[in-house]
Amino acid sequence: MLFAFRWIVDGCVLDLVESLRSIGVPSECIERAGHLPVAIRGTECAKREARVRGDASSQFASALMLMLSFEDRAASIRIEGDAVSKPYLELTRRMLAEAGVAWSLREPWLYCRERGAIRCDRFDIEPDASSAGYFFALAAATRSKLIVRGIRADSVQADLALLDPLLREADAGRVPLAIYPSNSAGPAEADSLLARYGCAWNEVCALSVSG
């Protein structure tokens, strides 16, 4: 049994509970409907089509997509209403495709997958562009150098639009950019920058998933 307590911010909790119930996972608000704490009892999903509100947190839909990917069975997730954070759903879908589970958009806001199992024991999680945005702005304001490792050139994160004016400056030759190969650890300049101060990057720990 998993309990969620009040150090997690209250909000949209009822949507999460109803989404879990829609696939047969026993869950309930312990004290007051729609508020934490919540009790979730782990069990095999009795149903294979989950429903979640699109105007609630995209984290719920992403969590359902991950959960329904660990069983070798077909499944679907229906987003009710327009999703406010579609790019994050796409990030989850793309990561799972690289792990061997293909989710596809069959119709507006209906994600489906056929049978298949996860075929890897490591997930590479793309850094959060929203959090990095403050540092992008700081580097621009102070005319200093910033290296953010791990963001893909084909990233779908909407907040990377913050880089558009900086890229225009780079194209004009006013801001130098360090280019590095896709799927690499980052540019050599990142290592050189830390080496000046006697530091080095820590190795990223892999997330192991066992069946």
Side-chain angles (χ1 to χ4, degrees):
M1 181 184 292
L2 174 67
F3 290 91
F5 293 100
R6 287 193 178 88
W7 56 70
I8 306 174
V9 177
D10 264 349
C12 306
V13 174
L14 188 59
D15 297 314
L16 171 62
V17 170
E18 291 179 347
S19 296
L20 290 171
R21 287 175 177 169
S22 74
I23 55 175
V25 176
S27 54
E28 60 180 338
C29 298
I30 297 174
E31 297 177 1
R32 186 156 59 105
H35 295 268
L36 298 173
V38 172
I40 302 170
R41 294 172 175 82
T43 183
E44 183 175 315
C45 301
K47 301 177 182 178
R48 303 300 295 172
E49 179 173 313
R51 294 176 177 271
V52 62
R53 281 178 46 188
D55 58 353
S57 173
S58 65
Q59 294 175 4
F60 294 164
S62 290
L64 289 168
M65 192 176 288
L66 287 167
M67 183 175 69
L68 291 171
S69 296
F70 279 91
E71 295 182 355
D72 187 9
R73 300 164 60 190
S76 62
I77 299 173
R78 185 175 294 278
I79 310 296
E80 298 178 335
D82 290 340
V84 295
S85 302
K86 187 177 180 180
Y88 294 103
L89 296 177
E90 177 60 19
L91 283 171
T92 305
R93 187 203 64 78
R94 186 166 64 180
M95 183 192 72
L96 287 169
E98 293 174 352
V101 178
W103 287 82
S104 60
L105 192 60
R106 297 287 177 82
E107 58 184 70
W109 308 121
L110 176 62
Y111 290 87
C112 299
R113 60 156 293 202
E114 302 301 329
R115 295 189 59 177
I118 290 179
R119 298 193 302 267
C120 75
D121 60 1
R122 174 186 174 120
F123 292 105
D124 290 324
I125 308 298
E126 186 174 324
D128 179 27
S130 302
S131 300
Y134 298 101
F135 300 97
F136 295 152
L138 177 63
T142 59
R143 296 184 178 275
S144 56
K145 186 172 183 178
L146 170 74
I147 297 174
V148 177
R149 295 157 58 116
I151 294 181
R152 297 168 47 151
D154 61 347
S155 175
V156 296
Q157 295 193 63
D159 287 340
L160 287 176
L162 291 169
L163 288 174
D164 289 345
L166 297 179
L167 292 174
R168 286 195 293 271
E169 291 292 301
D171 290 340
R174 290 188 286 268
V175 177
L177 293 181
I179 307 300
Y180 58 94
S182 176
N183 296 321
S184 70
E189 289 87 346
D191 300 316
S192 301
L193 180 63
L194 288 190
R196 294 182 206 167
Y197 304 97
C199 302
W201 296 101
N202 290 325
E203 290 297 322
V204 177
C205 296
L207 171 65
S208 295
V209 179
S210 57

